[in-house]
Amino acid sequence: MTLAAQLHDLAVDIAREAGELARRRRTEGVAIAATKSALADIVTDADREVEEMIRLRLGEERPGDGFLGEESGAAPVSHGGDSDVTWVIDPIDGTVNYAYGIPSYAVSVAAVAGGSDPEHWEALAGAVFNPASGELFHATRDGGAWLHDVRLTVTAEPAAAGALLATGFGYDPATHASDLARVGRAMTIARDIRRIGAASLDLAFVAAGRLDGYFERGLQPWDFAAGALLVTEAGGRFSRVEMPDAAARPLAVAAGPGVFERLLSLTTE
Ligand code: IPD
């Protein structure tokens, strides 16, 4: 079994276990533990507990690996840390949906090689699990992207009515005006637009051909590590483009080949 295949199987197991814990905690009631970068940017007790569970599990299975998690940042999985593999984890992507009881949230687990900087890493394996729907999206480098045991392919061309797109908005209100202007430009090629509220699911849906394209400025590495691999393994394209606005983090664009260039050019104008 290749290293990527081993990492894949572990990512899938952990995403399922962590998702089950998140789902169980949801039924018990959600407590907001703190706000982070902005008032709208929340962390729940469950985010922290699920991330800790994942870290402990990885510590048992792969103690030498690195870890980059939404709630705890970058660190070795346990002591040491001498392997080239880093786990990039969003314990609950779509935390606001989770807190409001909207069943669109996911555990996102990715294993990458080459460090914790997305500019330099190579994603080897990833899993995105939505415990509310039971859908498990997973991919291995050069091994394809899958929803359970069904192989995924991005859309080749949007329908005549236009592309079904999705986007998201960062938590910083200062960037909302430019984000909305970008949506306006993208609508010129769209039949409609979705704001699902969990970047990992947006990317999984592009991989599955449920969306023709997705764009969002300001994603963090854990938001897209697994989802970007799903998209490229399903035959799509994923890019991050630096924006001239100093406050803004890069713009991520993901789409099938038929819409990618047009979407990239409209959203980076
Ligand atoms: C957020 C979600 C959301 C996206 C934000 C992300 P979180 O992740 O993916 O859809 O618009 O940019 O930060 O905070 O729920 O893990």
Side-chain angles (χ1 to χ4, degrees):
M1 203 187 215
T2 63
L3 173 64
Q6 290 172 32
L7 298 172
H8 166 271
D9 290 0
L10 184 56
V12 163
D13 285 353
I14 287 181
R16 279 194 181 283
E17 287 166 29
E20 178 49 32
L21 175 61
R23 194 199 57 74
R24 204 164 60 241
R25 291 290 178 259
R26 181 75 196 58
T27 64
E28 294 163 356
V30 173
I32 310 293
T35 57
K36 300 191 288 184
S37 62
L39 266 182
D41 186 4
I42 53 172
V43 55
T44 68
D45 288 340
D47 286 89
R48 290 177 173 168
E49 185 184 358
V50 173
E51 182 158 315
E52 190 51 22
M53 180 236 119
I54 294 173
R55 181 195 279 277
L56 290 174
R57 185 79 164 70
L58 287 169
E60 288 160 13
E61 300 283 343
R62 305 235 356 139
D65 291 353
F67 186 88
L68 175 64
E70 174 169 23
E71 310 309 339
S72 48
V77 158
S78 59
H79 47 81
D82 54 1
S83 100
D84 189 38
V85 173
T86 300
W87 292 86
V88 186
I89 305 295
D90 195 335
I92 300 177
D93 182 38
T95 305
V96 175
N97 284 345
Y98 183 78
Y100 279 72
I102 297 170
S104 296
Y105 64 91
V107 178
S108 177
V109 177
V112 306
S116 56
D117 178 352
E119 288 307 306
H120 302 295
W121 79 37
E122 180 181 63
L124 300 177
V128 172
F129 178 55
N130 176 354
S133 68
E135 288 190 318
L136 173 73
F137 300 88
H138 54 106
T140 314
R141 180 161 215 92
D142 300 327
W146 304 78
L147 168 55
H148 303 293
D149 58 357
V150 176
R151 189 149 190 178
L152 301 179
T153 316
V154 296
T155 54
E157 278 294 337
L164 185 61
L165 301 177
T167 191
F169 305 95
Y171 294 117
D172 179 1
T175 60
H176 288 169
S178 62
D179 288 344
L180 287 169
R182 186 171 301 113
V183 169
R185 295 196 299 276
M187 284 308 282
T188 58
I189 59 163
R191 73 184 297 155
D192 207 343
I193 193 146
R194 300 285 179 265
R195 196 298 187 242
I196 290 164
S200 60
L201 291 178
D202 291 306
L203 290 163
F205 289 1
V206 172
R210 295 176 182 176
L211 293 169
D212 295 300
Y214 162 69
F215 58 95
E216 181 167 347
R217 185 209 51 75
L219 292 183
Q220 298 281 5
W222 41 82
D223 295 320
F224 64 81
L229 182 66
L230 287 166
V231 170
T232 53
E233 285 296 325
R237 293 176 64 186
F238 175 87
S239 276
R240 289 167 77 240
V241 182
E242 289 296 336
M243 301 307 284
D245 169 357
R249 292 191 296 268
L251 174 80
V253 179
V259 84
F260 182 84
E261 289 297 344
R262 277 178 292 160
L263 186 59
L264 185 68
S265 118
L266 285 167
T267 51
T268 52
E269 256 173 33

